[in-house]
Amino acid sequence: MNDLVTLVDPVTDPAALAGRLREESAPDIVETLNQQRPAVAAAILLGLTAERAVEVLDQPGLDAVEEIVEALPRDRAGPLLTGMAADRLADVFRLMEEPGRSDLLERLDPETQGTVRALLAYPEESAGSIMTTEFVSVPGNWTVGQTLDHIRRVERTRETVYSVYVLDPASHVLLAAVPLRRLISAETGASVLSAAPGKRPVTVSGHASRDDAARLISKYDLLAVPVVDGAGHLIGIVTVDDVIDAMVQRQTEQVQRFGGMEALDEPYLRISFGEMLRKRAGWLAVLFLGEMMTASAMQGFQDELEKAIVLTLFIPLIMSSGGNSGSQATSLLIRALALDEVRLRDWWRVALRELPTGIALGAILGGLGMARIAAWQWLGFHDYGEHWGLVACTVGAALIGIVTFGSLTGSMLPFLLRRLGFDPASASAPAVATLVDVSGLVIYFGVAAIILRGTLL
């Protein structure tokens, strides 16, 4: 595929490149379009058949899709957008800005326009925002044969036919979800409900979170989960591929936030220099101001440092150990909260679990630190002075306190952020490390003041 880009200069002859792409699969076409400017990508799309262009626009991997759509002639954009899957089309409109968004929305046919407006009404992180309204449903008084005939007629206009959803003929309430495999193997003259599994269908509310939909799909091994309103009416389905796309996007954002920056809105190589600075500079400045507190803490212990210079040798060791333990705990709890393994009400259970864990981990690191000081002293690598034994005890005891504090702080911070309504992933590793650095110095010098009083201090 990459060879196609070198055969023709897409800036001067996008039609020629479009001709070479017509026989390629949609994901391969997307790979080529992602290497072009939006205007050029739009020109290449116009060189494809309408059916293939719609298939390409439906691909979640297409970058800057809203800019590509904006670059299309208005008379060509309307029909292409109308042919797209409703959930993907709603995603495109979410990314667009006014006045282009309203202009293009008005060019859709009334049915598609109503569907898109309904999907846009759901919050961005809800199950309703990623559901598709293009599913197959039949009344409960139909036979298997009628249902199969109906599938043959409408299949090309539906995003998927993983299951057929059976509705009450009078109330239109969802009665059952019949997998296509069971439908095909049933007697054609039998009632469609006779082919349904003997259990109530698993459903999700349109206002539930995407994570809830993902958990249901994973728990019950579904290919799609029906979305119902408060009265039990079927309003859409969330398919497993849409959940995977949403999860990949969310995990990418969380990883970026956990690295101590705002989530990027575009692929790394497409984001502008100014936008990259804006996304990264803010967090770095906040973390820098936090680290200034570390300098202030050291200034507060200036007298102790002057009396016992040997203590400064272990400051990096102390700070990094506390930050590492805090980052470990934060990573574990962010993931546990995301998977619903723990809930907000479980914070005390987590605290009781992290307290002995932190003490044990601190004891392990403290023992290693003391052993290292003793080994260097005995082997003659460094002379820590006549009170080296007390220095070793200071480092060991401080590590127990700092690692324990780091574990508790790192585990509680995601709970606090979730309780305040923020994404727990905002508890980035650098932020936790900065917080523990300051407190770690206070613990270190507090322990030193107790153990070394009357000797070095």
Side-chain angles (χ1 to χ4, degrees):
M1 275 304 305
N2 292 333
D3 295 338
L4 290 173
V5 180
T6 60
L7 292 175
V8 179
D9 181 3
V11 176
T12 58
D13 196 358
L17 183 54
R20 288 174 166 79
L21 291 171
R22 283 174 188 154
E23 301 304 319
E24 300 293 334
S25 64
D28 288 335
I29 296 175
V30 166
E31 183 180 335
T32 298
L33 295 186
N34 285 343
Q35 301 176 34
Q36 320 301 323
R37 293 179 294 108
V40 176
I44 295 173
L45 272 181
L46 293 176
L48 303 175
T49 63
E51 184 178 358
R52 181 51 59 87
V54 168
E55 188 180 357
V56 171
L57 289 171
D58 270 335
Q59 296 296 310
L62 182 61
D63 298 336
V65 61
E66 75 283 3
E67 297 180 33
I68 295 174
V69 170
E70 287 269 22
L72 292 170
R74 288 294 188 258
D75 60 329
R76 298 288 300 275
L80 292 180
L81 293 177
T82 300
M84 292 176 62
D87 53 338
R88 174 62 172 163
L89 183 56
D91 288 339
V92 172
F93 275 102
R94 281 193 186 90
L95 296 171
M96 296 179 67
E97 298 180 355
E98 298 294 355
R101 172 173 163 168
S102 296
D103 181 34
L104 283 171
L105 193 56
E106 293 297 329
R107 293 177 180 272
L108 303 177
D109 63 66
E111 182 180 356
T112 304
Q113 189 178 135
T115 300
V116 170
R117 290 187 188 278
L119 292 176
L120 291 176
Y122 286 97
E124 188 172 353
E125 293 299 317
S126 67
S129 67
I130 58 172
M131 72 179 180
T132 178
T133 57
E134 297 160 342
F135 53 87
V136 178
S137 63
V138 298
N141 55 7
W142 276 22
T143 65
V144 171
Q146 288 176 300
T147 302
L148 291 173
D149 289 339
H150 178 66
I151 292 173
R152 295 186 187 99
R153 290 195 301 271
V154 303
E155 182 272 332
R156 296 181 66 85
T157 63
R158 300 298 187 263
E159 180 174 334
T160 181
V161 195
Y162 294 138
S163 294
V164 174
Y165 301 95
V166 184
L167 311 180
D168 183 278
S171 65
H172 301 288
V173 170
L174 178 65
L175 298 177
V178 185
L180 188 60
R181 182 177 62 181
R182 293 179 66 109
L183 199 64
I184 294 173
S185 61
E187 294 292 334
T188 56
S191 167
V192 66
L193 283 173
S194 68
K199 56 186 178 182
R200 296 181 60 184
V202 177
T203 62
V204 67
S205 166
H207 292 281
S209 70
R210 295 179 180 183
D211 291 339
D212 289 338
R215 278 191 287 270
L216 288 174
I217 286 177
S218 175
K219 179 179 179 179
Y220 295 101
D221 197 22
L222 303 174
L223 292 175
V225 59
V227 182
V228 297
D229 61 15
H233 299 132
L234 181 63
I235 57 177
I237 61 172
V238 175
T239 60
V240 65
D241 55 320
D242 289 332
V243 164
I244 291 174
D245 293 337
M247 288 175 62
V248 169
Q249 179 184 3
R250 181 173 176 79
Q251 291 300 319
T252 300
E253 292 174 354
Q254 287 185 336
V255 167
Q256 290 169 349
R257 289 195 185 102
F258 196 67
M261 60 177 290
E262 293 183 46
L264 300 181
D265 301 321
E266 299 180 73
Y268 177 83
L269 292 178
R270 294 185 67 90
I271 195 166
S272 66
F273 178 74
E275 186 71 4
M276 181 68 79
L277 287 182
R278 189 183 71 80
K279 294 287 187 180
R280 298 173 65 174
W283 262 106
L284 281 178
V286 170
L287 294 172
F288 179 75
L289 292 174
E291 290 294 353
M292 289 176 65
M293 296 173 62
T294 304
S296 299
M298 292 185 67
Q299 291 172 5
F301 294 100
Q302 185 172 354
D303 292 340
E304 287 80 357
L305 287 173
E306 291 176 351
K307 294 176 184 177
I309 297 296
V310 68
L311 293 178
T312 62
L313 300 176
F314 304 101
I315 288 177
L317 173 71
I318 294 293
M319 293 172 63
S320 64
S321 298
N324 290 340
S325 65
S327 298
Q328 274 188 346
T330 300
S331 301
L332 289 172
L333 265 298
I334 287 175
R335 192 60 182 160
L337 284 169
L339 296 176
D340 220 21
E341 296 174 349
V342 297
R343 301 178 183 273
L344 282 177
R345 63 175 180 267
D346 297 323
W347 68 268
W348 64 272
R349 296 176 61 188
V350 173
L352 291 178
R353 187 180 182 87
E354 284 298 316
L355 181 60
T357 301
I359 293 173
L361 292 173
I364 293 172
L365 297 185
L368 290 174
M370 294 176 67
R372 189 268 191 194
I373 293 173
W376 258 239
Q377 182 73 27
W378 291 337
L379 296 174
F381 293 156
H382 188 85
D383 183 8
Y384 295 107
E386 59 177 314
H387 301 294
W388 67 267
L390 293 177
V391 172
C393 290
T394 298
V395 171
L399 280 169
I400 294 175
I402 291 166
V403 171
T404 302
F405 180 81
S407 297
L408 279 174
T409 301
S411 62
M412 292 297 103
L413 193 55
F415 284 104
L416 177 61
L417 290 173
R418 172 67 68 85
R419 183 67 182 84
L420 295 176
F422 296 106
D423 186 347
S426 300
S428 66
V432 173
T434 301
L435 179 62
V436 176
D437 283 351
V438 179
S439 54
L441 285 175
V442 175
I443 295 173
Y444 179 40
F445 287 110
V447 171
I450 296 172
I451 296 179
L452 299 178
R453 186 185 301 274
T455 53
L456 294 179
L457 299 179

